[in-house]
Structure formats: structure tokens, C-alpha cells
Amino acid sequence: MSMSREDVEHYCSVLEATPVFEEFAASELEELVEACERKRLASREALWAVGSAGKAAYILIDGRIEETRRLPPDGQRVDQVNQPGSLLGLASLVKKWDRETAASALEQTELLCLPRQSFEELFERGHSAAYRLVDEIAGQLVEEMRDANRRLHEVFGSPAETLRTLRRRVRKA
Amino acid sequence: MVDDGLHNEDTEAPVGLEQVTTAQSIFSDIKLFEGLSNEEVREMVRACELVSFEPGDTLFEQGDEADALFIVGQGELEVVAQSTLGEKVVLAVLGAGTVVGEMSLIQGGPRSATVESVSESEVFRLDHDTFEEMRKQQSPAAYKIILGLAATVGERRRETDARIQEVFSDPASHIDSFESQLHEMLGRMRKS
């Protein structure tokens, strides 16, 4: 969906008041918004499904998104995102990984979609908005890695407990 | 720019042009720097300092704050960790051109292992604070490295989750392995 000048100004004014984007210069924000596409979802409409190819990240403008993540072996985490300026699916800007989460709208929702290719163009040009997104991405991925290491330690660092769990599972099967 | 050149910590003398050229050729073959132009690789070389180690010297210990990345210029290093029972376990031997502690550039926290020199070694040290300064200056080289590290972290996280999932999705085939681990652990505890 293409954007008019008014749309760009509107999105910039929404984003400049948000924590992630408040330090962006007006021109940086404008270039970032111009690199994005507008996306609107109806209530309950999926933004992406588990296993779909991640080709873009999203910036929430208005509405509410629920993101569900499976945590091995049996856990699940559900996050609701409703703050304008929140970033979703950032890892897709790094690599074409398949989505590991499902995301859908809980109400009518408006987002900006930043395709990986547009991000790469900004990055290649040394655009500071792209660098700031890289800072966000690195922070998020490091946190995810810490969580995964904690789970790994629980499983392989406590063999007695893991053995009990495995035996329970075999009995149940 | 964060530094004028390479310095040897022992002598505080600048390292010669020949060594800078050698460093550049080592750095160019490292995956972490693969997206960098020649000039950007030179920038990273200049941001490093060259440190010499004798056999038995320790670069850092398990539990130390991760404050730098190291690239082996020449010599050999050993990555060692202590088991829960206090035994020394050699996890890896690192030769010229290997990078250790790259995650220190984007995350702090304690070192997960000790690294020792097993021969006379020359190692390039890229300090976390120096790298942070490059990041603040929006150095494209620094950001290419961060993006590369983000891809590595993302892959590792996926592999870690897959490893955990594999254990629990087929519990029967993993019971034997966990039983053996437990017996080994109990055996070692009895011995100690």
C-alpha cells in the first residue's frame, strides 16, 4: 500500500513520541517511514504464521497484536503488544529465518512493514535508522540466547531431573 | 578512529607496518569480518592491540567479565572449563586466525571458559570499550560486525532450542544417555 505525503507525516508524528524512535532526527524517521509499506489488519487476522518465511519486520502504529512463542520442551509465551512504535519480527531483517512465532491482531490494527530488502538498502547507505534497528535486533537476540541457555542448562545440567521427566513422558505415551 | 596503530602491551612500542599487513591478511580470512571492505578491515586492525603471551599465560579466566575479543595471530591457545566436580576439561585448541570471545562485543557477562596460551603466542585484542566507541561513531565496519554477530546468535539460539526439543520429542531414545551421564557423575563424586 503506497503512502501519501500526509501519511508519512502522520506516521512520523506517531513514532517520534515513542521510546524506540524519540531520539531519531526528523529526516531519519522520514526516510525510515518512506522505506516502509502500510499494513492494516482486521480483528483476529494473522500477521504471520509459525513456519512462514520471515521477510519483513513491523512497527506498530495503532491497535493490538498478540505474539505466541513455543518454548521447548512444553512452554509457551504469549505477549500482547499495544504500544505504538513497538517492533515486531525484527530478526527477519537479519536473515530469512522461518517464523517461530505466530502473530495476529486482537483488534483492528495498523502497522508499518519494513521489508528486509528495504532495510538492507538503508543499511548499505549507512543510514543511522538502520544502525539503530541493528542495536535493537542485537539486544533482542542476546536476550533470546540467554533464555535458551538457561533452558539448556536446566535440561543438561540436571540429568537426574531430566531423567525423571523423560521417564514420566515414556509412561504417559 | 580509536587508535593510531597496533601496540605491544609488553613493550608499549608500535608494531611495524609488516605486522599490520600480516594482521590484515589474517583478519580478511575471518568469517566475522567477511562483509568488510579492505579499508574497514584496516580500521579493525588499527582498533586492536597486539599482546604477546608465554606458554602457561592466561588470557582470561572462567567467570571474568567479558571485556574483549581475541584473534590469534600466531601460536596456540586452549579453551578450558571446570566441571561441576572441579576437573579441568579442554574444550578446544585455537590456532592462528581463530576468534575467541566475539560475543563480548555485544553482550557483557561472565566468561564461560578460561583461555590459556600453550605456546608463545601473539594475539590481537579488540577491547569492548573501543568497539563501543566505534559503534557510537556509527562506524559501518562496527555495524557490519554486529549484524554478523546477530545472525550467529540467532542461529545458535535456534540450534539450542532444537537440541532441547529433540530430547523431549523422543524421550525413550534419550533415557539411556541421561542414565549414563548420571552414573558417571555419581562415580566421579564417589571418587572425589
Side-chain angles (χ1 to χ4, degrees):
Chain A
M1 213 183 281
S2 63
M3 273 192 264
S4 65
R5 188 71 227 150
E6 289 73 28
D7 288 335
V8 172
E9 283 170 9
H10 165 65
Y11 294 132
C12 286
S13 73
V14 172
L15 294 179
E16 70 188 8
T18 65
V20 174
F21 298 100
E22 66 184 355
E23 288 180 13
F24 278 52
S27 59
E28 288 171 6
L29 201 50
E30 204 173 297
E31 272 198 78
L32 177 65
V33 170
E34 282 170 348
C36 292
E37 296 158 13
R38 192 168 56 178
K39 188 164 182 75
R40 286 189 173 136
L41 297 176
S43 178
R44 312 311 308 176
E45 193 177 345
L47 181 56
W48 67 71
V50 173
S52 58
K55 296 173 185 167
Y58 296 89
I59 305 167
L60 183 68
I61 296 295
D62 187 37
R64 199 155 48 112
I65 294 285
E66 183 176 82
E67 189 175 7
T68 308
R69 175 187 298 276
R70 205 166 156 251
L71 299 174
D74 294 321
Q76 178 173 286
R77 200 178 84 199
V78 180
D79 293 317
Q80 285 196 10
V81 180
N82 62 2
Q83 292 298 312
S86 298
L87 298 161
L88 294 145
L90 268 185
S92 299
L93 299 181
V94 178
K95 213 169 170 182
K96 194 181 164 189
W97 284 310
D98 287 347
R99 303 275 191 196
E100 294 179 304
T101 63
S104 58
L106 292 175
E107 57 192 62
Q108 271 205 346
T109 297
E110 187 174 12
L111 306 117
L112 290 178
C113 166
L114 178 62
R116 187 170 55 251
Q117 196 182 333
S118 305
F119 164 76
E120 285 170 352
E121 284 165 15
L122 286 177
F123 187 85
E124 284 305 316
R125 283 179 9 229
H127 197 280
S128 51
Y131 290 168
R132 286 178 201 226
L133 289 176
V134 172
D135 288 332
E136 289 285 331
I137 293 166
Q140 277 190 15
L141 289 173
V142 163
E143 280 307 310
E144 283 180 17
M145 190 68 225
R146 284 199 177 120
D147 276 354
N149 280 338
R150 188 183 40 74
R151 290 195 297 277
L152 190 72
H153 187 73
E154 281 170 9
V155 172
F156 291 94
S158 316
E161 182 56 39
T162 304
L163 193 56
R164 271 195 291 276
T165 309
L166 293 175
R167 283 182 177 145
R168 268 200 305 273
R169 282 180 172 240
V170 169
R171 278 198 299 273
K172 273 187 194 170
Chain B
M1 193 49 55
V2 287
D3 201 349
D4 290 328
L6 292 168
H7 291 77
N8 184 307
E9 248 189 8
D10 294 337
T11 61
E12 291 296 323
V15 174
L17 188 62
E18 195 182 322
Q19 278 172 294
V20 176
T21 311
T22 308
Q24 198 178 341
S25 101
I26 292 170
F27 281 35
S28 299
D29 288 337
I30 294 173
K31 188 170 184 286
L32 186 64
F33 303 129
E34 69 184 2
L36 274 59
S37 67
N38 287 341
E39 180 46 44
E40 287 166 344
V41 171
R42 270 196 294 277
E43 186 185 348
M44 297 315 301
V45 171
R46 287 193 295 265
C48 291
E49 57 182 0
L50 186 58
V51 191
S52 301
F53 292 98
E54 296 296 319
D57 282 355
T58 302
L59 279 77
F60 56 79
E61 290 192 353
Q62 188 172 354
D64 283 356
E65 179 66 21
D67 59 356
L69 158 155
F70 296 90
I71 298 161
V72 185
Q74 61 181 58
E76 231 170 44
L77 309 178
E78 261 182 7
V79 182
V80 297
Q82 251 189 353
S83 73
T84 47
L85 296 171
E87 298 161 321
K88 180 179 162 180
V89 184
V90 177
L91 301 175
V93 177
L94 311 175
T98 4
V99 181
V100 62
E102 66 266 46
M103 289 305 156
S104 66
L105 297 184
I106 56 171
Q107 68 174 117
R111 298 280 192 192
S112 57
T114 296
V115 173
E116 296 170 350
S117 180
V118 289
S119 63
E120 284 191 358
S121 309
E122 286 196 330
V123 179
F124 298 94
R125 183 181 195 278
L126 178 57
D127 189 76
H128 173 83
D129 292 343
T130 304
F131 188 75
E132 269 305 296
E133 192 52 42
M134 295 174 78
R135 195 169 170 170
K136 273 188 205 152
Q137 303 294 328
Q138 300 208 332
S139 146
Y143 273 93
K144 284 179 186 175
I145 289 170
I146 297 169
L147 198 56
L149 287 174
T152 305
V153 174
E155 290 292 348
R156 281 187 196 165
R157 207 269 300 148
R158 278 168 166 73
E159 285 163 14
T160 303
D161 279 349
R163 205 172 148 206
I164 298 169
Q165 194 57 47
E166 191 204 325
V167 170
F168 290 94
S169 59
D170 185 9
S173 68
H174 288 87
I175 283 182
D176 286 352
S177 141
F178 275 90
E179 270 178 348
S180 318
Q181 275 183 47
L182 197 58
H183 287 142
E184 274 175 32
M185 193 187 269
L186 290 170
R188 286 199 304 266
M189 280 170 81
R190 280 192 201 106
K191 269 188 200 167
S192 66

